[in-house]
Amino acid sequence: MDKLSFFNTLGRRLEGFESLESGRVGLYTCGPTVYSSPHIGNLRTFVFEDVLRRTLELFGYEVTQVMNLTDVEDKIIAGALAAGVDIDTFTQPFIDQFFADLDRLGVKPASAYPRATEHIAGMIAMIEELIAREHAYEADGSVYFQVSSSTDYGALSGIDLCNVRRGSRVQDDEYAKDDIRDFVLWKACKPGEPSWDSPWGAGRPGWHIECSAMSKALLGESFDIHCGGVDNIFPHHENEIAQSEGASGKRFVRYWLHSEHLTVDGEKMSKSLGNQYTLDDLVEKGVALRAVRYLFVSVHYRQRLNFTMESVEKAGSALRRLDEMCFHLTHAERVPAIRRERDLVTAAREMVDAFRGELAHDLNVSGALGALFGLVKEVNRALPDGITDAEHEEVRAALSTVDSVLGVLDSECWAERDSGDGDSLSDAEIEERLAQRQAARAERDFAEADRLRDELVAAGIVVEDGPNGTVWRRG
Ligand code: AMP
Ligand code: ZN
């Protein structure tokens, strides 16, 4: 059996994967800061983490995935104060949006979604431990982590803070730090801000300690894999390591995996450029959700993903090839036996082996998709001669194995052959829908075009787009 290997940011090399506990994986994935709706960059990272988790499951691991919600943080407090509401009221719509988006992109729910505001006691306990072990100090009601006390600081990011001038000031509310490199664990509150009681007076946690405390509460002091986007490497994850290892004296995380960013039309997303898209923005532009997931899944996680309308259209046509193959497979003539160069049972088994082998190698999706589309070609070539029951079953099983990771196939295409025999729609109705689909495509309303096609497919109509336009027949 193939063994999994991942590119570990800690050490920057490919490493064979061994879980701490046989057959089980603890996976911590930094979640959203809920002061606005997630943008498609955040969603790219969440989809990568979903593919990682599904791959681990494909390899037989039982995965406990934890994704936190950062629901107390400076931008949240500023937003809640500006809106004149408490932080729960302010964050709830963004939390709802986050869950709705994950669902729309077929992301499997994590085992737990701890909220920072529910883990304040654990954060305070960890800060007390850090003070006791002389990794942290209190100043004016705030507590800071003393970076000079951590021998390995910088190992993850490769950032060397030695040359940073001591004593310079960075932020007004952190003026009491001994050393500019130190970071805040607990912030004394300003009047009017939400706060919690602590041994150091009323205040709130710093962002980094939130993840250290929540991962400890749900996965223990040491666990297998920690993920996020590349912007999380420094300072967030570097600081998490310093805090968690400083408090426990144990190795925090074995493997660190980070996904590259998503850009739009080659530019970093930003409000000022007006290219900071949410999923709803894409849906409004007529982009199909399955095509978004396919696009995200098809680009290797350590490569920058440049989102363009063209790239999502290409993703849509790759999906159509898959859908059409699934449909033809379901509706192909069954024959008792057939002679061909390589039977589809063998082809399907070999495809699954190749697909797994490629994913095992640091989630090499392009290789995995190459194996899948190799089978698609072979099946399309074979189907006109009919297919045996055994071949049908094996190809179907292979596709569902593949889709347990990709999560992109359309269940409509799997509808059994007699669920729609094409009689439910008259020729005129079919022609009308095809014309509407053509019009929707011309207006680049691909979501509507896909919906119309799916409707036809569900009614048992085979729709084929060829060089001479679209043709159809009853399946
Ligand atoms: P945030 O809500 O900013 O804490 O981010 C949530 C997740 O999205 C983190 O793992 C970030 O690293 C990731 N992220 C932020 N911006 C992007 C981007 N442009 N592309 C991909 N991932 C991102
Ligand atoms: Zn985090």
mmCIF file with all atom_site columns, all heavy atoms in Angstrom, residues 9-24:
data_model
loop_
_atom_site.group_PDB
_atom_site.id
_atom_site.type_symbol
_atom_site.label_atom_id
_atom_site.label_alt_id
_atom_site.label_comp_id
_atom_site.label_asym_id
_atom_site.label_entity_id
_atom_site.label_seq_id
_atom_site.pdbx_PDB_ins_code
_atom_site.Cartn_x
_atom_site.Cartn_y
_atom_site.Cartn_z
_atom_site.occupancy
_atom_site.B_iso_or_equiv
_atom_site.pdbx_formal_charge
_atom_site.auth_seq_id
_atom_site.auth_comp_id
_atom_site.auth_asym_id
_atom_site.auth_atom_id
_atom_site.pdbx_PDB_model_num
ATOM 1   N N   . THR A 1 9  ? 6.188   22.137 6.385  1.00 0.00 ? 9  THR A N   1
ATOM 2   C CA  . THR A 1 9  ? 6.770   23.485 6.424  1.00 0.00 ? 9  THR A CA  1
ATOM 3   C C   . THR A 1 9  ? 7.900   23.531 7.455  1.00 0.00 ? 9  THR A C   1
ATOM 4   O O   . THR A 1 9  ? 8.903   24.223 7.263  1.00 0.00 ? 9  THR A O   1
ATOM 5   C CB  . THR A 1 9  ? 5.697   24.540 6.796  1.00 0.00 ? 9  THR A CB  1
ATOM 6   O OG1 . THR A 1 9  ? 4.577   24.380 5.924  1.00 0.00 ? 9  THR A OG1 1
ATOM 7   C CG2 . THR A 1 9  ? 6.231   25.956 6.667  1.00 0.00 ? 9  THR A CG2 1
ATOM 8   N N   . LEU A 1 10 ? 7.725   22.772 8.543  1.00 0.00 ? 10 LEU A N   1
ATOM 9   C CA  . LEU A 1 10 ? 8.777   22.705 9.562  1.00 0.00 ? 10 LEU A CA  1
ATOM 10  C C   . LEU A 1 10 ? 9.890   21.794 9.029  1.00 0.00 ? 10 LEU A C   1
ATOM 11  O O   . LEU A 1 10 ? 9.740   20.570 9.002  1.00 0.00 ? 10 LEU A O   1
ATOM 12  C CB  . LEU A 1 10 ? 8.205   22.143 10.872 1.00 0.00 ? 10 LEU A CB  1
ATOM 13  C CG  . LEU A 1 10 ? 9.134   22.133 12.074 1.00 0.00 ? 10 LEU A CG  1
ATOM 14  C CD1 . LEU A 1 10 ? 9.563   23.535 12.467 1.00 0.00 ? 10 LEU A CD1 1
ATOM 15  C CD2 . LEU A 1 10 ? 8.464   21.458 13.268 1.00 0.00 ? 10 LEU A CD2 1
ATOM 16  N N   . GLY A 1 11 ? 10.964  22.394 8.549  1.00 0.00 ? 11 GLY A N   1
ATOM 17  C CA  . GLY A 1 11 ? 12.041  21.621 7.926  1.00 0.00 ? 11 GLY A CA  1
ATOM 18  C C   . GLY A 1 11 ? 12.030  21.736 6.413  1.00 0.00 ? 11 GLY A C   1
ATOM 19  O O   . GLY A 1 11 ? 12.988  21.397 5.745  1.00 0.00 ? 11 GLY A O   1
ATOM 20  N N   . ARG A 1 12 ? 10.902  22.201 5.854  1.00 0.00 ? 12 ARG A N   1
ATOM 21  C CA  . ARG A 1 12 ? 10.758  22.412 4.398  1.00 0.00 ? 12 ARG A CA  1
ATOM 22  C C   . ARG A 1 12 ? 11.222  21.219 3.584  1.00 0.00 ? 12 ARG A C   1
ATOM 23  O O   . ARG A 1 12 ? 12.044  21.319 2.691  1.00 0.00 ? 12 ARG A O   1
ATOM 24  C CB  . ARG A 1 12 ? 11.508  23.684 3.952  1.00 0.00 ? 12 ARG A CB  1
ATOM 25  C CG  . ARG A 1 12 ? 11.040  24.859 4.768  1.00 0.00 ? 12 ARG A CG  1
ATOM 26  C CD  . ARG A 1 12 ? 11.079  26.190 4.136  1.00 0.00 ? 12 ARG A CD  1
ATOM 27  N NE  . ARG A 1 12 ? 10.510  27.117 5.123  1.00 0.00 ? 12 ARG A NE  1
ATOM 28  C CZ  . ARG A 1 12 ? 9.433   27.830 4.962  1.00 0.00 ? 12 ARG A CZ  1
ATOM 29  N NH1 . ARG A 1 12 ? 8.777   27.802 3.849  1.00 0.00 ? 12 ARG A NH1 1
ATOM 30  N NH2 . ARG A 1 12 ? 8.996   28.613 5.925  1.00 0.00 ? 12 ARG A NH2 1
ATOM 31  N N   . ARG A 1 13 ? 10.657  20.066 3.908  1.00 0.00 ? 13 ARG A N   1
ATOM 32  C CA  . ARG A 1 13 ? 10.963  18.896 3.079  1.00 0.00 ? 13 ARG A CA  1
ATOM 33  C C   . ARG A 1 13 ? 9.823   17.890 3.147  1.00 0.00 ? 13 ARG A C   1
ATOM 34  O O   . ARG A 1 13 ? 8.969   17.948 4.053  1.00 0.00 ? 13 ARG A O   1
ATOM 35  C CB  . ARG A 1 13 ? 12.289  18.256 3.486  1.00 0.00 ? 13 ARG A CB  1
ATOM 36  C CG  . ARG A 1 13 ? 12.306  17.730 4.872  1.00 0.00 ? 13 ARG A CG  1
ATOM 37  C CD  . ARG A 1 13 ? 13.724  17.343 5.282  1.00 0.00 ? 13 ARG A CD  1
ATOM 38  N NE  . ARG A 1 13 ? 13.826  17.316 6.723  1.00 0.00 ? 13 ARG A NE  1
ATOM 39  C CZ  . ARG A 1 13 ? 13.590  16.232 7.451  1.00 0.00 ? 13 ARG A CZ  1
ATOM 40  N NH1 . ARG A 1 13 ? 13.252  15.113 6.890  1.00 0.00 ? 13 ARG A NH1 1
ATOM 41  N NH2 . ARG A 1 13 ? 13.681  16.272 8.770  1.00 0.00 ? 13 ARG A NH2 1
ATOM 42  N N   . LEU A 1 14 ? 9.862   17.011 2.156  1.00 0.00 ? 14 LEU A N   1
ATOM 43  C CA  . LEU A 1 14 ? 8.859   15.954 2.073  1.00 0.00 ? 14 LEU A CA  1
ATOM 44  C C   . LEU A 1 14 ? 9.169   14.914 3.139  1.00 0.00 ? 14 LEU A C   1
ATOM 45  O O   . LEU A 1 14 ? 10.314  14.484 3.261  1.00 0.00 ? 14 LEU A O   1
ATOM 46  C CB  . LEU A 1 14 ? 8.964   15.327 0.681  1.00 0.00 ? 14 LEU A CB  1
ATOM 47  C CG  . LEU A 1 14 ? 7.758   14.559 0.185  1.00 0.00 ? 14 LEU A CG  1
ATOM 48  C CD1 . LEU A 1 14 ? 6.571   15.487 -0.028 1.00 0.00 ? 14 LEU A CD1 1
ATOM 49  C CD2 . LEU A 1 14 ? 8.113   13.856 -1.120 1.00 0.00 ? 14 LEU A CD2 1
ATOM 50  N N   . GLU A 1 15 ? 8.141   14.527 3.900  1.00 0.00 ? 15 GLU A N   1
ATOM 51  C CA  . GLU A 1 15 ? 8.375   13.537 4.963  1.00 0.00 ? 15 GLU A CA  1
ATOM 52  C C   . GLU A 1 15 ? 7.316   12.457 4.926  1.00 0.00 ? 15 GLU A C   1
ATOM 53  O O   . GLU A 1 15 ? 6.135   12.764 4.703  1.00 0.00 ? 15 GLU A O   1
ATOM 54  C CB  . GLU A 1 15 ? 8.265   14.225 6.331  1.00 0.00 ? 15 GLU A CB  1
ATOM 55  C CG  . GLU A 1 15 ? 9.506   14.950 6.759  1.00 0.00 ? 15 GLU A CG  1
ATOM 56  C CD  . GLU A 1 15 ? 9.333   15.564 8.141  1.00 0.00 ? 15 GLU A CD  1
ATOM 57  O OE1 . GLU A 1 15 ? 8.831   14.884 9.058  1.00 0.00 ? 15 GLU A OE1 1
ATOM 58  O OE2 . GLU A 1 15 ? 9.691   16.739 8.279  1.00 0.00 ? 15 GLU A OE2 1
ATOM 59  N N   . GLY A 1 16 ? 7.703   11.230 5.157  1.00 0.00 ? 16 GLY A N   1
ATOM 60  C CA  . GLY A 1 16 ? 6.738   10.139 5.286  1.00 0.00 ? 16 GLY A CA  1
ATOM 61  C C   . GLY A 1 16 ? 5.843   10.425 6.484  1.00 0.00 ? 16 GLY A C   1
ATOM 62  O O   . GLY A 1 16 ? 6.311   10.940 7.496  1.00 0.00 ? 16 GLY A O   1
ATOM 63  N N   . PHE A 1 17 ? 4.558   10.096 6.339  1.00 0.00 ? 17 PHE A N   1
ATOM 64  C CA  . PHE A 1 17 ? 3.622   10.414 7.424  1.00 0.00 ? 17 PHE A CA  1
ATOM 65  C C   . PHE A 1 17 ? 3.448   9.228  8.368  1.00 0.00 ? 17 PHE A C   1
ATOM 66  O O   . PHE A 1 17 ? 3.148   8.113  7.950  1.00 0.00 ? 17 PHE A O   1
ATOM 67  C CB  . PHE A 1 17 ? 2.258   10.814 6.835  1.00 0.00 ? 17 PHE A CB  1
ATOM 68  C CG  . PHE A 1 17 ? 1.234   11.108 7.889  1.00 0.00 ? 17 PHE A CG  1
ATOM 69  C CD1 . PHE A 1 17 ? 1.331   12.256 8.662  1.00 0.00 ? 17 PHE A CD1 1
ATOM 70  C CD2 . PHE A 1 17 ? 0.181   10.225 8.132  1.00 0.00 ? 17 PHE A CD2 1
ATOM 71  C CE1 . PHE A 1 17 ? 0.401   12.525 9.662  1.00 0.00 ? 17 PHE A CE1 1
ATOM 72  C CE2 . PHE A 1 17 ? -0.749  10.487 9.134  1.00 0.00 ? 17 PHE A CE2 1
ATOM 73  C CZ  . PHE A 1 17 ? -0.641  11.645 9.885  1.00 0.00 ? 17 PHE A CZ  1
ATOM 74  N N   . GLU A 1 18 ? 3.656   9.515  9.656  1.00 0.00 ? 18 GLU A N   1
ATOM 75  C CA  . GLU A 1 18 ? 3.391   8.519  10.714 1.00 0.00 ? 18 GLU A CA  1
ATOM 76  C C   . GLU A 1 18 ? 2.522   9.206  11.733 1.00 0.00 ? 18 GLU A C   1
ATOM 77  O O   . GLU A 1 18 ? 2.903   10.267 12.239 1.00 0.00 ? 18 GLU A O   1
ATOM 78  C CB  . GLU A 1 18 ? 4.690   8.130  11.446 1.00 0.00 ? 18 GLU A CB  1
ATOM 79  C CG  . GLU A 1 18 ? 5.779   7.507  10.620 1.00 0.00 ? 18 GLU A CG  1
ATOM 80  C CD  . GLU A 1 18 ? 5.546   6.029  10.390 1.00 0.00 ? 18 GLU A CD  1
ATOM 81  O OE1 . GLU A 1 18 ? 4.615   5.472  11.005 1.00 0.00 ? 18 GLU A OE1 1
ATOM 82  O OE2 . GLU A 1 18 ? 6.285   5.454  9.583  1.00 0.00 ? 18 GLU A OE2 1
ATOM 83  N N   . SER A 1 19 ? 1.370   8.636  12.048 1.00 0.00 ? 19 SER A N   1
ATOM 84  C CA  . SER A 1 19 ? 0.533   9.302  13.054 1.00 0.00 ? 19 SER A CA  1
ATOM 85  C C   . SER A 1 19 ? 0.991   8.889  14.456 1.00 0.00 ? 19 SER A C   1
ATOM 86  O O   . SER A 1 19 ? 1.597   7.832  14.644 1.00 0.00 ? 19 SER A O   1
ATOM 87  C CB  . SER A 1 19 ? -0.939  8.963  12.837 1.00 0.00 ? 19 SER A CB  1
ATOM 88  O OG  . SER A 1 19 ? -1.135  7.575  12.952 1.00 0.00 ? 19 SER A OG  1
ATOM 89  N N   . LEU A 1 20 ? 0.687   9.751  15.414 1.00 0.00 ? 20 LEU A N   1
ATOM 90  C CA  . LEU A 1 20 ? 1.108   9.472  16.789 1.00 0.00 ? 20 LEU A CA  1
ATOM 91  C C   . LEU A 1 20 ? 0.440   8.201  17.301 1.00 0.00 ? 20 LEU A C   1
ATOM 92  O O   . LEU A 1 20 ? 1.043   7.393  17.987 1.00 0.00 ? 20 LEU A O   1
ATOM 93  C CB  . LEU A 1 20 ? 0.736   10.650 17.701 1.00 0.00 ? 20 LEU A CB  1
ATOM 94  C CG  . LEU A 1 20 ? 1.554   11.932 17.529 1.00 0.00 ? 20 LEU A CG  1
ATOM 95  C CD1 . LEU A 1 20 ? 0.941   13.073 18.308 1.00 0.00 ? 20 LEU A CD1 1
ATOM 96  C CD2 . LEU A 1 20 ? 2.999   11.696 17.965 1.00 0.00 ? 20 LEU A CD2 1
ATOM 97  N N   . GLU A 1 21 ? -0.857  8.072  16.939 1.00 0.00 ? 21 GLU A N   1
ATOM 98  C CA  . GLU A 1 21 ? -1.596  6.907  17.397 1.00 0.00 ? 21 GLU A CA  1
ATOM 99  C C   . GLU A 1 21 ? -1.985  6.123  16.155 1.00 0.00 ? 21 GLU A C   1
ATOM 100 O O   . GLU A 1 21 ? -2.501  6.726  15.194 1.00 0.00 ? 21 GLU A O   1
ATOM 101 C CB  . GLU A 1 21 ? -2.870  7.409  18.111 1.00 0.00 ? 21 GLU A CB  1
ATOM 102 C CG  . GLU A 1 21 ? -3.434  6.453  19.102 1.00 0.00 ? 21 GLU A CG  1
ATOM 103 C CD  . GLU A 1 21 ? -4.758  6.964  19.640 1.00 0.00 ? 21 GLU A CD  1
ATOM 104 O OE1 . GLU A 1 21 ? -4.852  8.176  19.940 1.00 0.00 ? 21 GLU A OE1 1
ATOM 105 O OE2 . GLU A 1 21 ? -5.694  6.181  19.718 1.00 0.00 ? 21 GLU A OE2 1
ATOM 106 N N   . SER A 1 22 ? -1.770  4.836  16.158 1.00 0.00 ? 22 SER A N   1
ATOM 107 C CA  . SER A 1 22 ? -2.006  4.054  14.946 1.00 0.00 ? 22 SER A CA  1
ATOM 108 C C   . SER A 1 22 ? -3.454  4.205  14.463 1.00 0.00 ? 22 SER A C   1
ATOM 109 O O   . SER A 1 22 ? -4.400  4.066  15.233 1.00 0.00 ? 22 SER A O   1
ATOM 110 C CB  . SER A 1 22 ? -1.690  2.593  15.260 1.00 0.00 ? 22 SER A CB  1
ATOM 111 O OG  . SER A 1 22 ? -2.106  1.808  14.201 1.00 0.00 ? 22 SER A OG  1
ATOM 112 N N   . GLY A 1 23 ? -3.613  4.521  13.185 1.00 0.00 ? 23 GLY A N   1
ATOM 113 C CA  . GLY A 1 23 ? -4.954  4.585  12.582 1.00 0.00 ? 23 GLY A CA  1
ATOM 114 C C   . GLY A 1 23 ? -5.739  5.848  12.872 1.00 0.00 ? 23 GLY A C   1
ATOM 115 O O   . GLY A 1 23 ? -6.865  6.003  12.404 1.00 0.00 ? 23 GLY A O   1
ATOM 116 N N   . ARG A 1 24 ? -5.175  6.739  13.674 1.00 0.00 ? 24 ARG A N   1
ATOM 117 C CA  . ARG A 1 24 ? -5.911  7.966  14.004 1.00 0.00 ? 24 ARG A CA  1
ATOM 118 C C   . ARG A 1 24 ? -5.075  9.194  13.712 1.00 0.00 ? 24 ARG A C   1
ATOM 119 O O   . ARG A 1 24 ? -3.859  9.166  13.905 1.00 0.00 ? 24 ARG A O   1
ATOM 120 C CB  . ARG A 1 24 ? -6.254  8.014  15.494 1.00 0.00 ? 24 ARG A CB  1
ATOM 121 C CG  . ARG A 1 24 ? -7.290  7.027  15.907 1.00 0.00 ? 24 ARG A CG  1
ATOM 122 C CD  . ARG A 1 24 ? -7.368  7.018  17.436 1.00 0.00 ? 24 ARG A CD  1
ATOM 123 N NE  . ARG A 1 24 ? -8.348  6.049  17.862 1.00 0.00 ? 24 ARG A NE  1
ATOM 124 C CZ  . ARG A 1 24 ? -9.624  6.336  18.065 1.00 0.00 ? 24 ARG A CZ  1
ATOM 125 N NH1 . ARG A 1 24 ? -10.064 7.566  17.916 1.00 0.00 ? 24 ARG A NH1 1
ATOM 126 N NH2 . ARG A 1 24 ? -10.466 5.406  18.432 1.00 0.00 ? 24 ARG A NH2 1
#
